[in-house]
Amino acid sequence: MDQLPIFVNVRGRKVILVGEGDAADAKRRLIERAGGICVDAGNADAMLAFVAIEDEEAALASAADLKARGLLVNVVDRPEHCDFTTPAVVDRQPVLVAVGTGGASAGMAKAIRQRIETLLPENVGKLAQAVAHARDAIRNKWPKAADRRRSLDQAFAAGGSLDPFQSHAPSAVDSWLDQNEDAQPSRLVDIPLLSANADDLTLLTARLLGEADYVFHDAHIPGTILNRARADAVRVEGTPPTPAPEGLVLYLRLPSTSG
């Protein structure tokens, strides 16, 4: 990754906006839509800053001044001078899908966002809210964090009880909790990869990587494949021990290094 993808809570907080015109208006709408308060450059307690000035020299001078004050600054249409960029957004509150290209092409980010818009149901936000409201019930049913995560993974999987790419009734989460469905037991999955190219991953392998607790792998498995694993999955070069750790354990191996 060239940038750290994060979501920043600006609700009720001040954000500096410098400039006028269409670009500044667009940033103002974005800040206010997120609950932020737009202020001018003279404000001393802002958390972020946007510079939307057409003149190159004036824009860079304003950005330099704001950066010198310790602020993270977005300079509109000048990604090489930005501390952060703003992505194209699919908003299904509280579900937010952000698509960024590191400033390479806003048009490409928009095209990807439009494609995702057609795939994600309008009521997925209500599903997320229902899951949040059922947090205590979910904890009571699956007291162990690992069991709880695997149960949610099963429910959110394609075709699962809470598949976010399908429309659901308001009672979907309650119905799911009423099911006598145990979390998938611990298991070890041996995965001989087709190649070292991440584009050759099967849909099943990609899904397992997104759910894995442990990923054991041969030495020559590239980072482009390992990075498909869940961010907090434990990665270990080598073969899994006997017995394997508890949870979903994967062993990735390339044909050339398999025994």
Side-chain angles (χ1 to χ4, degrees):
M1 292 189 295
D2 292 328
Q3 294 181 324
L4 176 67
I6 59 174
F7 291 100
V8 179
N9 185 2
V10 298
R11 185 164 299 279
R13 305 179 73 175
K14 296 176 181 178
V15 178
I16 289 174
L17 176 60
V18 181
E20 298 178 350
D22 292 343
D25 289 343
K27 295 303 182 186
R28 182 182 302 277
R29 288 192 296 271
L30 180 67
I31 294 165
E32 293 178 346
R33 183 175 167 186
I37 302 167
C38 291
V39 296
D40 60 31
N43 196 279
D45 57 353
M47 59 183 301
L48 297 171
F50 290 85
V51 174
I53 301 175
E54 288 191 16
D55 180 77
E56 176 90 3
E57 185 176 347
L60 296 186
S62 178
D65 177 66
L66 292 165
K67 290 183 181 185
R69 290 161 51 183
L71 290 165
L72 295 177
V73 180
N74 173 281
V75 190
V76 177
D77 291 334
R78 298 174 178 88
E80 67 277 13
H81 296 289
C82 289
D83 295 316
F84 68 95
T85 56
T86 53
V89 172
V90 179
D91 189 354
R92 299 285 193 275
Q93 188 177 357
V95 175
L96 193 65
V97 181
V99 181
T101 62
S105 173
M108 178 182 287
K110 180 179 72 173
I112 295 171
R113 187 264 299 170
Q114 289 172 336
R115 194 83 56 88
I116 295 173
E117 285 273 12
T118 66
L119 299 175
L120 205 58
E122 284 293 332
N123 67 353
V124 71
K126 292 181 179 178
L127 177 65
Q129 289 171 338
V131 172
H133 292 155
R135 188 175 290 119
D136 289 342
I138 294 170
R139 287 181 179 275
N140 289 336
K141 184 163 184 175
W142 295 286
K144 291 185 178 180
D147 289 342
R148 193 161 55 245
R149 185 184 56 75
R150 287 198 295 273
S151 295
L152 285 165
D153 283 345
Q154 285 176 243
F156 291 136
S161 301
L162 302 178
D163 181 350
F165 286 90
Q166 301 293 327
S167 292
H168 295 280
S171 60
V173 175
D174 290 335
S175 298
W176 167 64
L177 285 168
D178 289 340
Q179 296 173 6
N180 293 319
E181 184 178 282
D182 294 328
Q184 268 199 5
S186 297
R187 67 195 194 280
L188 169 63
V189 183
D190 184 10
I191 302 178
L193 298 173
L194 299 174
S195 76
N197 189 337
D199 289 338
D200 287 335
L201 291 174
T202 66
L203 290 175
L204 175 60
T205 297
R207 179 174 66 79
L208 290 172
L209 281 167
E211 299 175 2
D213 297 292
Y214 293 84
V215 178
F216 291 83
H217 60 91
D218 288 341
H220 301 293
I221 303 293
T224 51
I225 289 178
L226 295 177
N227 287 341
R228 298 288 185 95
R230 199 165 58 93
D232 52 353
V234 178
R235 295 160 174 78
V236 181
E237 184 179 315
T239 58
T242 303
E246 183 177 346
L248 175 57
V249 182
L250 307 185
Y251 176 36
L252 306 181
R253 53 190 177 84
L254 288 170
S256 60
T257 60
S258 62

